[in-house]
Amino acid sequence: MGRDDTEPNATAPPDSATSAGAATHGSRGSTPAVVAARSGDETPDTAEIRALADVAGYAVVGEVTQRRREDPTYGLGRGAAEDLMRLVAETDAAAVLYDGSLSPGQTFSLGDLLPTGTAVIDRPRLALSLFSAAADSGVADRQLELARLRYELPRIEEAAARDSNERVSLRPEGDPRVRDIERRIEAAERALDRITADRAKRRSERRSAGLDIVALAGYTNAGKSTLASRLADDGHDGRGDNDTAEPSADGARPFETLSTTTRRATLDGRQAVVTDTVGFLDGLPHDAIRSFRATLDAVRRADCALLAVDASDDADAIRRKVRTSLSAIEATDGPVLPVFTKADRVEADALAAAMDTYRSVVAELDRQETPVAAALRSPVAVSARDGTGLAGLRSAVADALPTATAAVTVSNGGETQAALSWAYDRGVVASVEYAGETVAIELGGRPAVVAEGRRRLARADGRSP
């Protein structure tokens, strides 16, 4: 579609465009910026990019939106790009925040068109900067470094090509800036390989100790961190947490959780560890998502993963966020249990409609492109604020965990008691009944641990396992 579908719109500063609560983070920076957005089939919704801009310290002073196919030169059509140029000049904006991904060529072309010195920041760059600002561990820093380097490499290549006006060679004799980025990517990949291997070893040790592994995933601000806290043995009631309190104008305080956080939990008698992971965000390129493998593996390799879905979102947001989350997860070793959080914020019919929307998204998924779809269980609704549905969630998780049972009757003696103590330590003893010189024991829990407990009891009784 042509220029008539462009919608330039200069707005007031953020304190009058959004509520005071929404501008809490943004007020620290107040760098003026104009939002640009394009969609092929509908007028773009800029609410989320504005919220992200606010968190990043930008004051959105205007926007240009367009409904048309992508333009290979600017992303936006030429007419919309020129409207953007004029709006940036009129508002004296320091940056353009593009709600989508721009190729290196589009980024440079748009920058050449805009007033000198205007920064062009697409959604992936903005998201990575927000993640970087909130990084709170060495592992998070490593993953973010790799994501940034993978994002920057093609842009450095484009810059080098423009400087030399010829194709950049990626061989060792190529541009030194490109070689430097490639070396740093290789170093970051090696470091993350070591971290991933160490975490895999830790998961194995926990499973050998009888602990089930549960991980939470979901779109940013879906309420999963509060849910993880409620499930944990040392958790609290959730009151006072932002993602269960009254929503702010932008409805979000994203990027609060960047590192995985693991806590002990008891789920219907099963001893487990619950790991909270980083929230997903729409618009990150595949290379950036791959950089978070160490975090994503916590979800992919869990015995059961919980996918947090915000029940208070509208249908379009649920569709977009569920697709984004499942696309990032890709596949899991165990089942995935969808959990509709913040159920206290919606009426019963609205909750049912939200679940119907979720089911329609899942029904449309290509099982080959998104294999995790085959692992999805029936959804559960909870409220971490008032505790509604938490007991049912714990039972659903316990039912989804790998389970084996065994019944053994052995002579009662010192070696049997030692074997029984081992089984108790790993939480697999369901019942014990003493009868004279024998003891009847029922085991239940992780299959490998139950099998080992049965072997130890048989050996204690002088029998072959």
Side-chain angles (χ1 to χ4, degrees), residues 376-394:
L376 293 168
R377 297 285 184 96
S378 298
V380 176
V382 303
S383 167
R385 178 163 61 178
D386 62 22
T388 300
L390 287 176
L393 174 60
R394 291 188 177 95

Side-chain angles (χ1 to χ4, degrees), residues 182 199 208 227 267 288 346 403 416 422 428:
E182 289 178 328
R199 289 188 169 183
S208 295
L227 180 59
L267 305 169
V346 298
T403 303
T416 294
W422 181 93
V428 295

Side-chain angles (χ1 to χ4, degrees), residues 52-65:
L52 298 177
D54 182 56
V55 176
Y58 291 99
V60 176
V61 295
E63 70 174 39
V64 172
T65 63

Side-chain angles (χ1 to χ4, degrees), residues 207 212-213 270 302-304 334-335 397-404 444-448:
R207 285 174 171 136
D212 296 297
I213 297 176
R270 296 287 290 262
D303 297 310
C304 178
V397 174
D399 289 343
L401 293 171
T403 303
R446 293 195 60 80

Side-chain angles (χ1 to χ4, degrees), residues 107-167:
T107 302
F108 279 98
S109 295
L110 197 55
D112 290 342
L113 181 67
L114 295 170
T116 302
T118 306
V120 178
I121 301 169
D122 65 1
R123 187 183 179 98
R125 183 187 291 275
L126 179 63
L128 290 175
S129 70
L130 287 165
F131 281 127
S132 298
D136 52 359
S137 74
V139 175
D141 285 335
R142 292 275 189 182
Q143 293 180 113
L144 285 163
E145 178 188 17
L146 180 56
R148 287 195 303 269
L149 291 170
R150 284 174 169 165
Y151 175 86
E152 292 296 344
L153 178 58
R155 287 151 182 83
I156 295 296
E157 292 171 357
E158 177 75 15
R162 286 174 173 247
D163 289 346
S164 62
N165 197 30
E166 62 184 21
R167 184 184 177 93

Side-chain angles (χ1 to χ4, degrees), residues 203 205-213 264-265 271-273 303 426 446 449:
R203 283 193 295 271
E205 291 171 348
R206 284 170 170 162
R207 285 174 171 136
S208 295
L211 294 171
D212 296 297
I213 297 176
R264 290 290 293 265
Q271 296 181 21
V273 290
D303 297 310
R426 284 148 185 82
R446 293 195 60 80
V449 179

Side-chain angles (χ1 to χ4, degrees), residues 298-355:
V299 178
R300 294 167 177 166
R301 307 296 168 238
D303 297 310
C304 178
L306 306 184
L307 177 64
V309 180
D310 189 340
S312 65
D313 276 338
D314 61 37
D316 288 342
I318 289 174
R319 290 188 190 95
R320 177 173 57 85
K321 293 178 180 181
V322 168
R323 289 193 191 103
T324 297
S325 300
L326 294 178
S327 177
I329 294 170
E330 293 182 344
T332 59
D333 293 343
V336 178
L337 188 62
V339 182
F340 277 73
T341 60
K342 311 179 190 179
D344 56 291
R345 293 189 186 175
V346 298
E347 300 296 333
D349 57 346
L351 178 59
M355 289 190 173

